[in-house]
Amino acid sequence: EAQVTQNPRYLITVTGKKLTVTCSQNMNHEYMSWYRQDPGLGLRQIYYSMNVEVTDKGDVPEGYKVSRKEKRNFPLILESPSPNQTSLYFCASKYRGRLNEKLFFGSGTQLSVL
Amino acid sequence: AQTVTQSQPEMSVQEAETVTLSCTYDTSESDYYLFWYKQPPSRQMILVIRQEAYKQQNATENRFSVNFQKAAKSFSLKISDSQLGDAAMYFCAYRSARDSSYKLIFGSGTRLLVRP
């Protein structure tokens, strides 16, 4: 089954404790991206990757890191989480190119930073 | 910068009735895509319908249809014969055809309640 898998689904942590949210896709997609969802703000792009070893900032990259060492994986790293990073996070992927615009989303990771 | 506005935080509809969710956007570009996503309590983001700006014909997917008014920069979603399973948060989203980041710009969402 074609899917984007995020782990964990829920995470509670404390300020300053490094964490990683994993994202993996099984569709051989070149493009992957991270979004955060906050009430009243919708979803906003954090980082994106056009292919292996190619990453770039989205609209709200502060406090986050990403890496793309393999095509299928795109982890989101919070080196020193703060309470303002409490949010619902989504990973997404798609094929590059104009003709196929469908973006596949993971099931989300609800992060609480105390 | 492009923006997407959903002015209805919450809407309610009687089962089997029709409801329209509003969305307006601001852009100076002429080539772009518009989307409606559904987010049920499971949190999954589900693509409901998509519209290419260069197409004049309004997109339709079964009970879901859009009213795309390019000049007015309006993109409303009509849900006909509403069902209990339609209850969810609905997000309108914009994507520039020229943006190499493939970034989706989302509105703040409209929560749809369906009364049995």
Side-chain angles (χ1 to χ4, degrees):
Chain A
E1 180 189 354
Q3 59 184 3
V4 178
T5 303
Q6 287 180 235
N7 280 298
R9 193 158 167 80
Y10 297 92
L11 180 59
I12 301 174
T13 190
V14 296
T15 300
K17 186 176 182 181
K18 181 179 178 180
L19 66 91
T20 299
V21 183
T22 63
C23 174
S24 180
Q25 49 92 6
N26 63 0
M27 296 166 280
N28 203 34
H29 287 164
E30 298 91 353
Y31 174 87
M32 298 185 76
S33 181
W34 277 102
Y35 286 81
R36 61 176 288 173
Q37 180 182 344
D38 300 290
L41 296 177
L43 285 79
R44 295 174 292 168
Q45 190 185 57
I46 303 170
Y47 267 95
Y48 66 96
S49 170
M50 300 301 276
N51 215 325
V52 176
E53 302 291 0
V54 182
T55 64
D56 209 344
K57 297 176 181 179
D59 288 335
V60 287
E62 295 77 20
Y64 304 96
K65 285 176 56 177
V66 293
S67 69
R68 188 89 183 274
K69 293 183 170 55
E70 305 166 282
K71 198 172 188 178
R72 64 183 292 125
N73 296 323
F74 190 46
L76 180 69
I77 303 157
L78 285 72
E79 296 260 348
S80 183
S82 61
N84 64 11
Q85 293 178 297
T86 291
S87 187
L88 176 58
Y89 292 87
F90 286 98
C91 181
S93 71
K94 70 181 291 294
Y95 290 110
R96 286 183 65 178
R98 183 184 176 90
L99 296 182
N100 189 327
E101 291 294 334
K102 182 174 171 64
L103 194 61
F104 290 80
F105 283 89
S107 299
T109 296
Q110 180 64 58
L111 172 64
S112 296
V113 183
L114 306 177
Chain B
Q2 296 94 353
T3 58
V4 176
T5 301
Q6 294 179 251
S7 58
Q8 307 154 317
E10 188 173 284
M11 292 283 285
S12 180
V13 63
Q14 190 75 35
E15 194 175 5
E17 297 293 311
T18 295
V19 65
T20 298
L21 307 184
S22 300
C23 173
T24 58
Y25 58 94
D26 188 25
T27 184
S28 59
E29 298 180 347
S30 59
D31 194 9
Y32 50 86
Y33 298 85
L34 295 165
F35 306 85
W36 278 99
Y37 279 89
K38 171 185 178 182
Q39 186 180 52
S42 66
R43 301 184 327 207
Q44 186 68 38
M45 293 292 287
I46 302 166
L47 179 63
V48 175
I49 202 165
R50 171 186 104 155
Q51 176 81 42
E52 291 92 340
Y54 59 87
K55 289 187 178 178
Q56 291 186 323
Q57 186 172 7
N58 289 324
T60 299
E61 289 286 343
N62 301 314
R63 297 183 295 106
F64 298 86
S65 62
V66 297
N67 184 3
F68 174 47
Q69 303 287 331
K70 191 172 185 179
K73 298 179 183 174
S74 171
F75 183 60
S76 60
L77 175 69
K78 185 172 82 172
I79 306 174
S80 304
D81 185 26
S82 296
Q83 300 174 0
L84 295 178
D86 295 333
M89 182 73 87
Y90 287 83
F91 290 99
C92 178
Y94 166 101
R95 183 176 103 63
S96 166
R98 296 190 303 171
D99 186 348
S100 60
S101 77
Y102 296 120
K103 178 175 65 182
L104 287 172
I105 299 171
F106 286 85
S108 55
T110 296
R111 183 172 302 282
L112 178 65
L113 307 173
V114 181
R115 304 187 303 275

